[in-house]
Amino acid sequence: MKILLLLLATCAITRTIYCIEEDDNDFADFEEFDDEEPVETANGGGQQQPQVNKHKTAPIQEDDEDGVVESEDNELFEGFDDEEFEGFVSELDADDSDIPQGRTGGVEPVKKGAEPKITVAKVPIHFRDNWDSYWIEMLMLVGLFAYFSNYVVGRSRNSKIANNWLNTHRSLLEENFVLVGDDGRKEGEPFSGFVKESESLYTLWCSGRTCCEGMLVELKMIKRQDLVSLIAGLMRPVQDQVQIKVEISKDAMDTFVFCVASKKTATKSFKEMNDLSKFCTLVNKPEDKYNVPQGFSVLSEIPEATAAVLDSKLLAALNKFGHLIDFIHISDQFSGVIQQEDPGQLKQVETERVLIACFNIPPKTDMETLKPMLILVFYIMERLKRFRLSREGKNKAEKNRARVEEQFLKTTHLARAEAAALRREEKRKAEKEKIMAEEDPEKQKKWEKKEAKREKRKNQPKMKQLSIKAL
């Protein structure tokens, strides 16, 4: 490395000395040669010989060690790459009149010793003056504006429906329940009304009444805040509904399952609800058997209970408010919709005694027309409290529940057998650990003999005894 630096320094010093000795004209080496003139030879042959240039070229100095070669102009590099030094004009070409234009703009001629000046071409920004080119953006803005406007309007409308229903039925609810709207507020705080679960679902819990644990009121309204749901509702129309679920006390209702609903709802509930599919049958021609109006179906477990529930007042309500009543469901084995069977499930799903009634809220209707529906729910609650099945009805109900229990045991037999075997194995393991911890050889030998006998009896082939009748 030191030798290389020394060589470079020597070359620089040599170049400096050589430049001092040379003429001040830097372009002396680039002057054109004089025109060749004919020279007559001494022998008069008339042949012309080119005139020898008076300027002597400097000898080329070579350095064998570092490989640096000095040319005539004592420059290390004679030229530059046009592509690498784009738009740059050297001093040698400064006097030329034809200067190429660079890619980024024109390059002005530069004087000797001056830095090149690069001018960037000013390209005007192109603006579209035709609004038709922005139709996609306009459609997006219109769609967003329509969606958010519909959200605000639909949200306020659902809230208005819920408040109107509550204001109409609040006095009736307060007459039948001690606490209306239990939403976790402290004593002395003002009544807050419905609990908004979502923009289309409002709930209200009431408690403090005989023959029931509580009552849950749910207002399931159209998703007016969602524009997509409104468009889908044009193909499959839906209605606002109020669903009332009453949790009946254990001693306030007998054991039976019953449902009266519109034909479409009855068919759907019979396929989806667990208690209706297991205990009830679809009654053929309920119009003739129970005087039910056209358009309603009856799902009944015990005919005695069905006839008791469908009394004259309920039939009158079905005839007068048939367009408002969607279904009335009474059950002591209510467990919701049918769940996918789990092979590892060893216990049945917990059930409860309920009275569920669902009513339609027609559009642009005064809420006073729905007030008789809530009165009907209270009447059915009192009816269930007074009604009791006969001995034959109770026996039939018990047989139905035993049948359902037996079906459940059959479907879970394998899982229960595996669970029982696992429990026995854990019990034997705990007993073995207890015997080994006592360090009593006699007890350990007895336990080992007992286990050997059990394993031998377990591995023996099972024989079936056949009885042969004598001829």
Side-chain angles (χ1 to χ4, degrees), residues 361-373:
I361 303 177
K364 298 180 180 180
T365 301
D366 188 8
M367 290 298 173
E368 291 292 337
T369 58
L370 293 174
K371 204 168 184 179
M373 300 298 97

Side-chain angles (χ1 to χ4, degrees), residues 243-258:
Q243 180 173 306
I244 301 174
K245 179 181 178 181
V246 182
E247 297 181 3
I248 306 296
S249 301
K250 185 177 181 179
D251 299 333
M253 176 183 169
D254 221 329
T255 56
F256 68 93
V257 180
F258 164 82

Side-chain angles (χ1 to χ4, degrees), residues 250-406:
K250 185 177 181 179
D251 299 333
M253 176 183 169
D254 221 329
T255 56
F256 68 93
V257 180
F258 164 82
C259 180
V260 57
S262 61
K263 290 185 177 181
K264 183 178 179 180
T265 305
T267 304
K268 182 180 178 182
S269 300
F270 185 70
K271 295 179 180 179
E272 296 181 355
M273 303 306 293
N274 192 19
D275 54 342
L276 295 177
S277 61
K278 290 181 178 179
F279 295 96
C280 293
T281 57
L282 187 62
V283 178
N284 294 325
K285 296 182 179 181
E287 302 88 359
D288 301 335
K289 194 170 185 179
Y290 297 106
N291 295 324
V292 176
Q294 292 287 341
F296 284 92
S297 298
V298 176
L299 298 172
S300 174
E301 178 191 7
I302 301 174
E304 178 185 350
T306 304
V309 174
L310 291 174
D311 58 356
S312 59
K313 291 187 177 181
L314 182 56
L315 291 175
L318 291 175
N319 285 298
K320 185 176 181 180
F321 303 103
H323 62 288
L324 299 178
I325 299 174
D326 188 21
F327 69 85
I328 298 175
H329 183 186
I330 303 171
S331 175
D332 70 315
Q333 297 291 319
F334 180 79
S335 58
V337 297
I338 298 176
Q339 302 292 337
Q340 188 176 2
E341 294 184 0
D342 186 6
Q345 186 178 1
L346 303 179
K347 294 182 180 180
Q348 284 188 343
V349 183
E350 296 183 0
T351 60
E352 55 183 347
R353 300 170 185 262
V354 296
L355 163 62
I356 303 176
C358 185
F359 307 108
N360 298 323
I361 303 177
K364 298 180 180 180
T365 301
D366 188 8
M367 290 298 173
E368 291 292 337
T369 58
L370 293 174
K371 204 168 184 179
M373 300 298 97
L374 186 58
I375 298 174
L376 179 62
V377 172
F378 294 146
Y379 170 76
I380 297 175
M381 291 170 60
E382 296 294 333
R383 181 68 176 169
L384 294 175
K385 182 180 179 181
R386 296 191 303 266
F387 173 73
R388 287 295 178 269
L389 289 171
S390 62
R391 183 175 297 179
E392 292 80 5
K394 285 187 178 181
N395 292 336
K396 186 177 180 179
E398 290 176 359
K399 289 181 181 179
N400 291 336
R401 280 143 188 77
R403 173 179 54 81
V404 174
E405 180 71 20
E406 185 178 357

Side-chain angles (χ1 to χ4, degrees), residues 46 137 155 160 172-173 190 196 208 245 266 274 307 315 336 350 374 412 433 439:
E137 290 81 355
R155 177 184 177 185
K160 184 178 179 180
L172 185 59
L173 292 172
K196 185 170 70 172
K245 179 181 178 181
N274 192 19
L315 291 175
E350 296 183 0
L374 186 58
T412 59
E433 292 177 354
E439 297 181 357

